[in-house]
């Protein structure tokens, strides 16, 4: 709940485990896979103890927010009850599926969807296991934002298009298509 303020995480490993399970979007993940990804350099026995500790820490940290039982474990499988959570990257991807094409009736919803993408997945925390998902989400965002920008340019909403394209260029200044779109906006 909002009144409880931000989550007070107890350890870096509990944050990482939560992020890992969140990335799996409610699908169950085996204990063996978690140990391999989250505790790769640790003897298995120690890693298993740390995993149990991290699970306890997540539950304890989320308890004041009414989410104590959001992390489920059963038969050496772990998952999050994702319906009780709101994650910007999940929401972005779900909303994105509504826009097979951009038109005058959905442009405002499409612009609102673009706003849901708040940056790189797990931002300052760079996890090796999240790299491919970061790239996939980044590619989805790029493709969608270029589509949006082209529509805005075609409908004389140049200033709005330029704002979106500048975001793309800031993320990747070597992207030829983004630079070309920016030149179009300025022309």
């Amino acid at each position: 709940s909002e009144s409880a303020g931000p989550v007070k995480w107890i350890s870096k490993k509990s944050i990482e485990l939560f992020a890992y399970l969140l990335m799996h979007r409610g699908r169950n993940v085996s204990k063996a896979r978690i140990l391999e990804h989250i505790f790769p350099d640790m003897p298995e026995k120690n890693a298993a103890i740390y995993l149990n500790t991290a699970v306890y820490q997540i539950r304890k940290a989320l308890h004041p927010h009414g989410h104590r039982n959001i992390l489920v474990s059963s038969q050496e499988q772990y998952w999050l009850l994702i319906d009780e959570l709101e994650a910007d990257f999940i929401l972005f991807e779900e909303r994105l599926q509504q826009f097979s094409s951009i038109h005058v009736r959905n442009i405002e919803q499409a612009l609102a969807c673009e706003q849901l993408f708040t940056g790189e997945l797990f931002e300052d925390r760079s996890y090796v296991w999240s790299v491919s998902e970061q790239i996939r989400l980044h590619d989805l965002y790029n493709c969608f934002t270029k589509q949006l920008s082209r529509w805005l340019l075609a409908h004389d909403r140049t200033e709005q298009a330029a704002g979106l394209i500048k975001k793309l260029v800031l993320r990747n200044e070597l992207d030829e298509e983004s630079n070309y779109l920016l030149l179009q906006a300025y022309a």
Side-chain angles (χ1 to χ4, degrees):
S1 73
E2 289 295 316
S3 60
V7 174
K8 290 180 176 66
W9 295 105
I10 298 164
S11 70
K12 287 181 180 172
K13 282 297 178 191
S14 65
I15 297 172
E16 185 176 357
L17 177 60
F18 183 76
Y20 185 78
L21 293 172
L22 189 61
M23 191 186 79
H24 283 84
R25 295 169 169 81
R27 294 186 303 272
N28 51 335
V29 187
S30 72
K31 179 180 179 178
R33 197 160 165 207
I34 292 170
L35 296 181
E36 179 189 332
H37 286 142
I38 310 289
F39 306 97
D41 304 320
M42 206 177 276
E44 192 177 330
K45 190 178 177 185
N46 296 18
I49 293 166
Y50 270 101
L51 172 60
N52 289 335
T53 302
V55 167
Y56 168 78
Q57 290 174 341
I58 290 170
R59 289 179 175 146
K60 188 174 179 187
L62 294 176
H63 187 248
H65 301 266
H67 293 310
R68 181 175 172 76
N69 299 317
I70 208 163
L71 195 167
V72 182
S73 57
S74 174
Q75 297 176 336
E76 304 216 327
Q77 301 281 324
Y78 297 80
W79 66 95
L80 291 175
L81 299 177
I82 207 76
D83 294 344
E84 294 182 31
L85 290 170
E86 206 172 270
D88 52 13
F89 73 96
I90 295 172
L91 206 53
F92 168 72
E93 194 170 1
E94 284 173 357
R95 295 255 173 94
L96 199 61
Q97 290 165 9
Q98 301 169 11
F99 304 104
S100 52
S101 66
I102 307 289
H103 44 76
V104 75
R105 290 184 311 282
N106 71 5
I107 184 64
E108 296 312 320
Q109 292 96 318
L111 288 166
C113 178
E114 183 275 335
Q115 292 290 308
L116 289 170
F117 190 85
T118 56
E120 300 308 323
L121 185 66
F122 311 132
E123 292 203 339
D124 50 341
R125 296 187 169 91
S126 189
Y127 302 125
V128 173
W129 48 260
S130 70
V131 171
S132 62
E133 184 69 352
Q134 281 176 325
I135 293 167
R136 190 185 70 78
L137 284 166
H138 192 269
D139 288 349
L140 278 176
Y141 174 79
N142 272 354
C143 188
F144 179 63
T145 304
K146 286 173 186 175
Q147 184 186 2
L148 259 179
S149 302
R150 284 191 293 271
W151 189 94
L152 291 167
L153 286 171
H155 292 82
D156 294 324
R157 291 171 66 172
T158 313
E159 209 172 301
Q160 259 184 312
L164 290 180
I165 300 161
K166 281 180 198 169
K167 279 167 114 175
L168 291 174
V169 172
L170 275 173
R171 288 178 192 284
N172 180 5
E173 54 199 36
L174 300 176
D175 183 341
E176 286 181 26
E177 191 182 355
S178 296
N179 282 298
Y180 176 71
L181 284 169
L182 193 56
L183 287 173
Q184 274 187 297
Y186 287 146

